[in-house]
Amino acid sequence: MENKSLLYPCASAARRVISLDGMWRFEFDPESNGMDAGWGVGLPKPISMPVPASFCDFFTDKESREYCGDFWYETDFFVPGEWSGKDVAIRFGSVTHRARVFVNGVEVANHEGGFLPFDANVTEIVRYNQYNKLTVLANNELNEYMLPAGQTNTLSNGKKVAAPYFDFYNYAGIHRPVKLLALPKERVLDFEVTHRLVDGGAEVDYTVTTNGSHDVTVEVLDGTTKVAEASGKTGTLKITNAKLWNVHAAYLYNFVIRITDGHAVIDEYFDKIGIRTFEVKDGHFLLNGKPVYLRGFGKHEDSDIRGRGLDLATVKRDYELMKWIGANCFRTSHYPYAEELYQMADEEGFLIIDEVPAVGFMQSTMNFLAANQGNGKKVGYFEKETTPKLLENHKAALTDMITRDKNHASVIAWSILNEPQCTSEGTEAYFKPLFDLAHELDPQKRPRTYAIVMMSLPNNSKGQQFADFISLNRYYGWYVMGGMCIVDAETAFRKEMDGWAQVLNGRPMIFTEYGADTMPSEHKLPSVMWSQEYQNEYLDMNHNVFDSYGFVQGELVWNFADFQTTEGIMRANGNKKGIFTRQRQPKDAAFHFRARWTGLPVDYKGDTAQF
Ligand code: GCB
């Protein structure tokens, strides 16, 4: 799109932002005839629906909750007369999974990809000093060449049903804030920063992209005090005695970009930047040159009632719990999260492994989760007819994720896939362009990884050589050799680890998943699987293994909290591997982790020579 920009909206001397969040109108369109019936100019029988939120869990009937197909949202918005002469845009933080947007009945955007922002320029369409109608035709069907992947099945009663190849509920709706923007015609479209630590301070190289030719100036402020400035679309800002951004000790500078014409300000854009370096070196993660051991979680955007809709109250509680337990890192499994979460990680000093929604790229495993999906066939996921289309969608999502998130101090790495079927022939041809693209797009050249599924072993994982560090999802003692057999699980686990030691070539390894389903209601002495006691025994075994390998440089347990999944015999109203319940209260394991993580030094294994 012309003038495409994924910058987070901000108000300034040249920009205006109005929130369109609130109670919208909503209607299901199971026969997909809304378009022909003119729903773009008015929904015939709408019900109320809050935005942002998933629509699913408000309903008391199952057909509505499980609805799969087209659905519509509608609201009215007022455009101030004084905005005339500006560009007017509507920005969606995300709509899951696809959206066509109409203003006053005119189609203004068509977007696929349920976890990243998009906008629509509506300058030529809106009526000033009047209310305008905003309508969204959304759709939540799954297919094998989208991110995340799945299928859409049809039941004998003709209703469609989502069959995800992934283990989280297919929540849908307008999940993130919607904003009405007034933007100057000539404006900042994007910027990027890279940091260098030098004697006596730091240097920040920047590039600003605009859609015009006027001068650009950049300022860095410490609070309100200017500490560096530069002019030109690219340049270097020198900051003496820079306060570095660090884990749990974040420091953010105000970053101001202006486009000027003599003394007149054409555009002004504000952001915050944290100055830090991050790299993988000699088997360690180095933050500002110092080793850091990653501890934390795989998470989900998931909570009662609002589903996957952004809920700042839940976000706040999650950060408080993560601080309490001594975590310093999380992976945005299995999709880029709302921008507000990264801003908070920047503020709180958390490290993020940012994951694109490349999940479900393995037909055979996840199918058994829902009773009606399995076909039991092993299929090379990257040798399908749909693979070229999948790769195209994957590149688009990766591009938008890196473009959106590249300036966050909190973002330290890119996770390019979760548990792909990576033992078949097509793997390398599929992976290489994506890993190359991530490197090309990221000015900070952050390390790249992907989460490797069980049974993808050091000798048969075809994509592992592309990763800058190895990330394993392992369930020894849960999906394999659980309960009494946990002793054998440990032996098998160590054997696999010895194999990885041979192929790491100095790269660190982390665990992006390990965990055991646990019912908060169950206690049993001696333990049984699903009890709180077993979760702790399982964790002890896993931590013993991690502790005995120097190259293990991080542990992100699965999952931060219990979360909703598709129903099926493998899940008891959701996945119960949470260390916290879905209501964000601790299971026993939370105290276990708090003792461990607050006890390990920040640079745990920082000086190990075992590589
Ligand atoms: C995995 C998946 C994750 C699941 C988890 C589990 O390997 O990456 O999405 O939820 O296992 O609990 O089975």
Side-chain angles (χ1 to χ4, degrees):
M1 193 205 304
E2 205 194 341
N3 290 336
K4 178 172 170 171
S5 172
L6 295 179
L7 287 180
Y8 191 75
C10 81
S12 74
R15 296 172 174 239
R16 297 288 179 270
V17 183
I18 295 177
S19 168
L20 299 185
D21 296 350
M23 202 56 96
W24 288 38
R25 296 180 293 277
F26 178 90
E27 194 159 345
F28 290 127
D29 181 11
E31 311 297 332
S32 298
N33 32 20
M35 275 303 289
D36 290 343
W39 290 20
V41 289
L43 298 181
K45 282 194 198 139
I47 57 169
S48 59
M49 184 60 68
V51 168
S54 303
F55 68 73
C56 316
D57 286 349
F58 300 119
F59 292 104
T60 52
D61 68 293
K62 197 156 175 166
E63 260 180 27
S64 301
R65 186 190 68 202
E66 300 292 327
Y67 178 83
C68 185
D70 286 350
F71 49 98
W72 295 70
Y73 282 84
E74 179 191 88
T75 194
D76 302 303
F77 65 99
F78 189 84
V79 182
E82 55 275 25
W83 284 14
S84 106
K86 298 251 183 202
D87 269 359
V88 180
I90 298 172
R91 192 213 199 237
F92 292 83
S94 75
V95 182
T96 312
H97 294 285
R98 43 188 80 76
R100 292 173 67 179
V101 180
F102 306 84
V103 168
N104 301 331
V106 180
E107 184 161 357
V108 292
N110 186 339
H111 183 261
E112 170 143 0
F115 303 91
L116 286 159
F118 62 95
D119 62 12
N121 188 328
V122 296
T123 318
E124 304 301 324
I125 292 149
V126 287
R127 295 190 281 263
Y128 291 89
N129 268 340
Q130 285 181 45
Y131 277 93
N132 293 263
K133 191 175 290 297
L134 169 59
T135 313
V136 179
L137 163 55
N139 176 283
N140 62 350
E141 288 171 49
L142 298 175
N143 62 45
E144 292 194 339
Y145 50 89
M146 68 186 273
L147 289 79
Q151 288 176 31
T152 301
N153 296 334
T154 307
L155 303 174
S156 55
N157 64 5
K159 307 266 179 209
K160 288 182 197 153
V161 60
Y165 294 170
F166 47 88
D167 184 34
F168 49 93
Y169 192 77
N170 187 39
Y171 278 118
I174 301 182
H175 278 157
R176 298 182 188 157
V178 186
K179 291 175 176 171
L180 179 66
L181 314 177
L183 304 165
K185 297 268 178 207
E186 183 174 346
R187 59 181 176 269
V188 177
L189 298 177
D190 198 8
F191 80 94
E192 60 188 48
V193 283
T194 57
H195 313 287
R196 238 185 347 263
L197 309 187
V198 294
D199 264 357
E203 290 179 355
V204 178
D205 293 330
Y206 72 87
T207 301
V208 175
T209 310
T210 75
N211 61 353
S213 53
H214 280 96
D215 287 346
V216 168
T217 62
V218 176
E219 287 178 5
V220 179
L221 307 175
D222 184 349
T224 50
T225 312
K226 197 191 296 177
V227 292
E229 67 185 317
S231 56
K233 288 188 180 179
T234 63
T236 299
L237 297 146
K238 294 185 195 332
I239 300 161
T240 42
N241 297 323
K243 296 173 188 154
L244 299 187
W245 185 94
N246 231 314
V247 169
H248 299 163
Y251 192 84
L252 297 177
Y253 287 91
N254 289 315
F255 194 74
V256 185
I257 304 170
R258 290 196 185 88
I259 302 177
T260 52
D261 185 3
H263 288 299
V265 174
I266 296 174
D267 190 16
E268 184 177 53
Y269 183 78
F270 300 118
D271 208 340
K272 289 181 179 173
I273 59 161
I275 298 174
R276 56 105 187 91
T277 59
F278 187 83
E279 63 187 316
V280 168
K281 203 171 167 198
D282 302 331
H284 294 101
F285 297 112
L286 300 182
L287 179 66
N288 300 328
K290 297 198 186 97
V292 56
Y293 184 82
L294 308 182
R295 59 200 81 183
F297 301 97
K299 287 184 98 267
H300 264 299
E301 289 185 305
D302 173 279
S303 64
D304 280 333
I305 304 174
R306 60 273 293 153
R308 211 169 309 295
L310 174 67
D311 177 50
L312 291 177
T314 305
V315 172
K316 170 73 181 164
R317 172 73 176 172
D318 285 5
Y319 275 98
E320 289 307 311
L321 293 175
M322 288 196 289
K323 285 191 275 181
W324 170 83
I325 206 169
N328 64 16
C329 181
F330 63 91
R331 175 173 63 127
T332 68
S333 40
H334 292 307
Y335 36 80
Y337 292 176
E339 291 146 299
E340 291 76 6
L341 259 121
Y342 299 73
Q343 291 165 356
M344 197 143 168
D346 288 346
E347 303 270 350
E348 298 279 4
F350 275 84
L351 307 170
I352 293 180
I353 298 176
D354 208 3
E355 187 160 277
V356 77
V359 57
F361 296 180
M362 173 166 326
Q363 202 148 336
S364 45
T365 36
M366 285 312 171
N367 291 354
F368 65 80
L369 294 175
N372 57 352
Q373 290 165 229
N375 61 13
K377 269 191 293 172
K378 283 237 178 231
V379 185
Y381 208 88
F382 302 121
E383 290 117 50
K384 286 167 172 275
E385 251 176 39
T386 47
T387 302
K389 183 100 184 94
L390 178 72
L391 182 58
E392 198 183 301
N393 289 337
H394 201 153
K395 282 184 184 166
L398 187 64
T399 303
D400 281 2
M401 177 177 82
I402 295 177
T403 306
R404 189 192 73 161
D405 296 340
K406 63 183 177 300
N407 293 324
H408 287 289
S410 54
V411 174
I412 52 160
W414 309 114
S415 170
I416 292 175
L417 309 105
N418 179 70
E419 300 201 336
Q421 206 253 321
C422 61
T423 49
S424 67
E425 286 313 311
T427 307
E428 286 167 281
Y430 188 86
F431 278 32
K432 186 162 191 309
L434 294 164
F435 280 75
D436 287 349
L437 182 64
H439 217 58
E440 187 188 305
L441 291 171
D442 180 11
Q444 298 186 5
K445 310 291 175 218
R446 290 169 179 86
R448 302 147 299 174
T449 194
Y450 71 106
I452 303 180
V453 67
M454 285 271 297
M455 312 319 287
S456 290
L457 301 167
N459 57 357
N460 70 2
S461 286
K462 294 207 191 305
Q464 61 86 9
Q465 70 278 14
F466 298 119
D468 298 308
F469 62 96
I470 294 292
S471 298
L472 296 187
N473 292 355
R474 287 296 177 274
Y475 290 92
Y476 286 104
W478 183 252
Y479 289 123
V480 289
M481 296 173 262
M484 246 331 249
C485 303
I486 196 165
V487 265
D488 293 350
E490 180 164 353
T491 308
F493 194 179
R494 286 180 186 274
K495 187 160 173 252
E496 185 186 341
M497 293 295 280
D498 295 340
W500 283 106
Q502 306 305 311
V503 301
L504 286 176
N505 297 323
R507 294 173 296 175
M509 168 192 281
I510 66 166
F511 286 85
T512 31
E513 289 183 25
Y514 61 107
D517 283 274
T518 303
M519 299 303 276
S521 57
E522 295 307 311
H523 279 287
K524 190 131 179 154
L525 185 68
S527 74
V528 288
M529 292 172 80
W530 293 87
S531 70
Q532 301 222 38
E533 287 69 22
Y534 188 75
Q535 191 176 29
N536 278 342
E537 287 168 21
Y538 168 94
L539 293 170
D540 277 339
M541 184 281 273
N542 277 265
H543 293 153
N544 279 338
V545 175
F546 302 171
D547 288 345
S548 50
Y549 291 89
F551 55 76
V552 175
Q553 289 289 320
E555 49 193 62
L556 307 184
V557 68
W558 191 254
N559 186 285
F560 172 75
D562 294 346
F563 59 93
Q564 195 65 56
T565 64
T566 306
E567 59 191 320
I569 52 168
M570 295 286 289
R571 295 289 176 260
N573 184 19
N575 187 309
K576 302 290 181 196
K577 294 192 185 69
I579 301 308
F580 297 95
T581 64
R582 199 182 193 210
Q583 293 69 39
R584 275 56 181 183
Q585 297 301 339
K587 296 184 191 169
D588 285 359
F591 298 94
H592 199 80
F593 271 112
R594 180 167 148 83
R596 174 174 169 82
W597 286 344
T598 57
L600 295 178
V602 174
D603 62 346
Y604 177 55
K605 294 188 193 164
D607 55 3
T608 182
Q610 282 178 265
F611 292 100

